[in-house]
Amino acid sequence: MTAGVPAVQIAVSEGGRIIYSEAFGISDKESATAATPRSVMQIGSVTKQFAAAAILRLAERGALTLDDPIEKFVPEFNPRGETITLRQLLSHRSGVPSSWWPPSGGFPLHAPVTREQVIAGINGQPLAFKPGSKWSYSNAGYMLVGYAIESIAGISFAEFVHREFALPLGLLDTGVCGTFGVPLPEGYGLSKAGELKRMQALHSSGVIGDGSLCSTASDLARWSHLLATGRVLLPASYATMTTRPAPVPAYGLGLDLRNIAGHPAVSHGGSIDGFQTYLIYFAHKEIAVAVITNVFPSPTMDAENIALAVASAAVNTP
């Protein structure tokens, strides 16, 4: 709060049980609404692990394999004569550019966009490298993943998340922002002059597979444990999700793989206009830490810094 963050939401779970859940500050400055543990916030790129889990669940049902080419499910996409697989998209080894909109811009990201517009934007840019040869983080690649899920399942990504994850797992505050009773909140960001201003929310259609979800810290902490312990995927599928394909830095399928506070962990961050999120899970201790702030662009104290400090206390306290 000293750094200028309006609200911070923190949750810690152990063995799937929430042992700490708190919120500090103001979720809406204009109405002076205090933040609570159930104040729904946007989670940005933490969405990617939900998209990856959706693909792996469909693979378990025999609807696809991870080595299927993306154009099998998204025929509008032009692979430029290359083979780009679902596995490569999920692990950021596809060569698909980082953003679907052209460098020249021109798309109002706060308004609805169509699948055709997004894919045309991707097709209009060259591949960054030969698929499978390098690693480069790609939000556009996860847009294609989102469209593949919709094509295979025959329902929207929002409905898939609601039916397959939120309802059966009891994640009452989780879903695509603005759908199935989940609000579309607005956060705050620093202007070029260093002043805190309200940020208009991006429309979920422009960030479907890579950043469309809203949630709470408590729901995310529970999700991490459920994902790791067989409630979302079979153990073999989760093992695939947490295995680093070569040549990749410390990244699996929708998850960062790294040591945190001296312990092996899976994690992911998310930044989207008005919000920052960081989610960590220590499988060997069954401890999850989730932090969400309602500010981006942000002051120096961000969600990752807070999450790392909380995680260190959680896993290193006797």
Side-chain angles (χ1 to χ4, degrees), residues 293-312:
T293 69
N294 62 343
V295 59
F296 185 80
S298 66
T300 54
M301 179 60 75
D302 62 19
E304 181 177 359
N305 291 337
I306 300 167
L308 293 176
V310 174
S312 179

Side-chain angles (χ1 to χ4, degrees), residues 36-284:
T36 75
R38 291 200 64 185
S39 297
V40 172
M41 301 191 188
Q42 296 190 49
I43 63 171
S45 286
V46 176
T47 299
K48 290 180 173 67
Q49 61 188 263
F50 287 81
I55 287 288
L56 286 161
R57 177 170 282 195
L58 291 168
E60 290 176 353
R61 294 174 181 169
L64 59 88
T65 74
L66 291 180
D67 296 314
D68 282 337
I70 183 60
E71 66 267 24
K72 179 177 179 180
F73 311 110
V74 188
E76 318 97 296
F77 172 68
N78 177 13
R80 290 78 152 173
E82 300 285 355
T83 298
I84 298 177
T85 67
L86 291 168
R87 190 189 304 271
Q88 289 169 339
L89 289 165
L90 293 172
S91 59
H92 299 297
R93 297 179 301 134
S94 67
V96 170
S98 62
S99 300
W100 61 261
W101 53 90
S104 58
F107 285 93
L109 299 179
H110 304 101
V113 295
T114 65
R115 174 170 169 150
E116 291 72 25
Q117 286 176 307
V118 171
I119 294 175
I122 298 173
N123 286 343
Q125 302 177 69
L127 296 179
F129 50 82
K130 185 175 178 61
S133 66
K134 296 181 182 180
W135 186 90
S136 183
Y137 195 85
S138 175
N139 285 312
Y142 266 81
M143 287 295 285
L144 294 175
V145 168
Y147 293 142
I149 293 164
E150 294 186 331
S151 294
I152 297 161
I155 56 177
S156 68
F157 181 67
E159 189 165 355
F160 188 97
V161 170
H162 182 67
R163 281 191 197 177
E164 299 280 342
F165 298 147
L167 280 182
L169 299 175
L171 303 175
L172 302 180
D173 298 315
T174 298
V176 170
C177 306
T179 70
F180 296 98
V182 177
L184 175 59
E186 291 184 343
Y188 299 87
L190 285 183
S191 68
K192 292 182 180 179
E195 298 176 348
L196 203 63
K197 64 176 183 177
R198 194 177 186 94
M199 302 293 290
Q200 185 179 358
L202 301 185
H203 196 276
S204 62
S205 60
V207 288
I208 290 174
D210 66 287
S212 66
L213 292 191
C214 283
S215 190
T216 61
S218 293
D219 265 13
L220 290 181
R222 290 188 59 242
W223 159 262
S224 284
H225 181 76
L226 295 168
L227 180 62
T229 55
R231 289 288 302 280
V232 179
L233 299 171
L234 296 174
S237 296
Y238 185 69
T240 297
M241 197 173 177
T242 55
T243 298
R244 180 180 69 87
V248 173
Y251 200 92
L253 306 183
L255 291 169
D256 283 312
L257 313 173
R258 53 185 287 205
N259 277 354
I260 293 176
H263 300 270
V266 298
S267 63
H268 212 287
S271 297
I272 194 167
D273 288 10
F275 297 91
Q276 278 194 323
T277 305
Y278 208 79
L279 177 59
I280 304 169
Y281 187 71
F282 301 93
H284 67 299

